[in-house]
């Protein structure tokens, strides 16, 4: 059953955020030709910088996992770092990617990490939904839906705990070999 009041609150929040974004962000496009991009990417200094940056990113992920301290914020940080890591890796050619994977001793392929970040995104969505429900004032929620929303929140909290347990087990197993 669709929670109309919850969806209505989300719609209002999205409209507010969209308006704020439109006011505060100016998109600038820098024209880069394919030849210029190839020049930039072939520069050895640039490649070294990319490798160094990717090493720092990877070390950050490993440090969080090795700490064993898996708060929602830490799991979200891992997801953001991994997404950034692979987004930047797209700038590299196959040989450069292979070199980075070898240097960092990464045994899994990109498909694995894509699936992992999707799972982590689903977990983050649940976290955000729970936080959103906690922040709502009772008078903003239709009285007849309060019980239904509380039941939904309880279900999400259980699902969040189950997903977190799976993610932690996967991260510690796959990264701490």
């Amino acid at each position: 059953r669709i929670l109309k009041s919850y969806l209505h609150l989300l719609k209002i929040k999205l409209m507010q955020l969209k308006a704020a974004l439109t006011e505060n962000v100016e998109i600038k496009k820098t024209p880069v030709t394919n030849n210029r991009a190839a020049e930039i990417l072939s520069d050895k200094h640039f490649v070294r910088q990319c490798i160094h940056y990717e090493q720092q990113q990877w070390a950050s992920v490993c440090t969080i996992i090795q700490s064993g301290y898996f708060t929602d914020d830490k799991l979200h940080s891992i997801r953001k770092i991994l997404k950034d890591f692979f987004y930047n890796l797209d700038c590299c050619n196959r040989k450069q990617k292979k070199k980075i994977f070898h240097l960092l001793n990464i045994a899994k392929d990109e498909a694995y990490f894509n699936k992992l970040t999707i799972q982590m995104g689903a977990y983050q969505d649940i976290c955000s939904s729970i936080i959103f429900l906690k922040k709502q004032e009772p008078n903003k929620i239709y009285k007849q839906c309060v019980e239904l929303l509380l039941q939904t929140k309880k279900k999400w909290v259980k699902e969040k705990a189950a997903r977190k347990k799976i993610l932690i087990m996967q991260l510690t197993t796959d990264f701490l070999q």
Side-chain angles (χ1 to χ4, degrees), residues 25-38:
V25 175
E26 179 180 315
I27 299 173
K28 296 180 181 178
K29 292 185 178 181
T30 305
V32 176
T33 64
N34 286 344
N35 291 341
R36 178 67 182 132

Side-chain angles (χ1 to χ4, degrees), residues 1-6 126 129-130 133 145-160:
R1 187 160 109 163
I2 297 177
L3 305 172
K4 291 182 182 178
S5 59
Y6 176 70
I126 291 170
S129 297
I130 292 168
L133 278 180
C145 294
V146 171
E147 183 60 34
L148 185 58
L149 287 172
L150 289 174
Q151 290 172 2
T152 301
K153 180 181 169 189
K154 191 175 184 178
K155 178 183 162 191
W156 285 345
V157 168
K158 277 185 178 179
E159 185 179 343
K160 174 187 165 192

Side-chain angles (χ1 to χ4, degrees), residues 105-118:
N105 199 23
I106 301 173
K108 304 291 183 182
D109 62 3
E110 286 185 65
Y112 164 83
F113 288 103
N114 187 42
K115 183 179 176 185
L116 178 63
T117 56
I118 289 170

Side-chain angles (χ1 to χ4, degrees), residues 39-62:
E39 278 178 38
I40 293 169
L41 294 177
S42 67
D43 179 38
K44 287 183 181 186
H45 179 69
F46 175 78
V47 172
R48 278 194 298 271
Q49 286 179 318
C50 285
I51 290 171
H52 180 71
Y53 179 73
E54 295 294 67
Q55 286 172 323
Q56 289 176 324
Q57 295 288 79
W58 193 253
S60 297
V61 169
C62 292

